[in-house]
Amino acid sequence: MELKIMQKIAFILLISIIFFTNLFSQSINMPEFPKGTLTISQEGSILTIPIEIANTNELREFGLMYKEDIPEDYGMLFVFPTPGIRGFWMKNTFVELDIAFIDSSGTILDIQNMKPCEESPCPIYIIYTPFKYALEVKTGFFGRYGFAEGAKIEWSINE
């Protein structure tokens, strides 16, 4: 009798291990972002960094979600078809970021710090001025290089 109970427990344990292994091993389908370069300039300071470009609805919605870390000198440029007022949030984003909201002429309008969202609802980061681009970089990037509102960006996509 004791053997049958142990066999049942072993069977339930085996099924549980298989179930939870499958549940937690589901991989996230990371989209492929176009690559490019972005140059920031202000008052004689110029810096060029590699970027990934979020230029479709799917890519803009995914952004930097699920990344454990990003390089110090790297950015993700969100490109919108037209200027507008939009909000950003940090759902499923694990890296603290700075975001620059940029107008259609390439001028940085505002820079904000965004913290990973730890509880729902996530804060929304927004400016009430139309912008066409948003650049997300690791926190401290703009301060480290001395860039602020008024800096200009130029970017290109790799062919």
Side-chain angles (χ1 to χ4, degrees), residues 71-88:
E72 297 286 331
D73 295 337
Y74 153 90
M76 179 167 283
L77 183 68
F78 293 78
V79 179
F80 296 93
T82 59
I85 296 171
R86 303 166 178 90
F88 281 71

Side-chain angles (χ1 to χ4, degrees), residues 49-157:
I49 61 171
I51 57 170
E52 288 184 293
I53 302 162
N55 57 357
T56 67
N57 283 337
E58 176 194 10
L59 295 177
R60 286 188 293 266
E61 287 173 13
F62 202 88
L64 290 170
M65 287 197 306
Y66 304 107
K67 297 221 182 209
E68 296 289 331
D69 198 13
I70 61 171
E72 297 286 331
D73 295 337
Y74 153 90
M76 179 167 283
L77 183 68
F78 293 78
V79 179
F80 296 93
T82 59
I85 296 171
R86 303 166 178 90
F88 281 71
W89 66 348
M90 296 283 285
K91 182 179 180 186
N92 299 320
T93 306
F94 310 126
V95 181
E96 189 173 343
L97 302 170
D98 286 342
I99 184 169
F101 297 96
I102 304 162
D103 70 15
S104 56
S105 73
T107 302
I108 295 178
L109 303 169
D110 187 37
I111 298 171
Q112 296 181 22
N113 177 255
M114 301 190 304
K115 300 203 181 313
C117 177
E118 295 180 2
E119 58 187 55
S120 212
C122 295
I124 304 293
Y125 300 90
I126 191 168
I127 64 167
Y128 294 98
T129 303
F131 62 92
K132 183 169 168 76
Y133 309 101
L135 175 64
E136 290 183 349
V137 292
K138 198 168 194 174
T139 291
F141 173 89
F142 294 105
R144 185 168 50 257
Y145 293 107
F147 296 115
E149 292 175 11
K152 298 289 274 182
I153 69 142
E154 292 180 5
W155 66 279
S156 63
I157 193 166

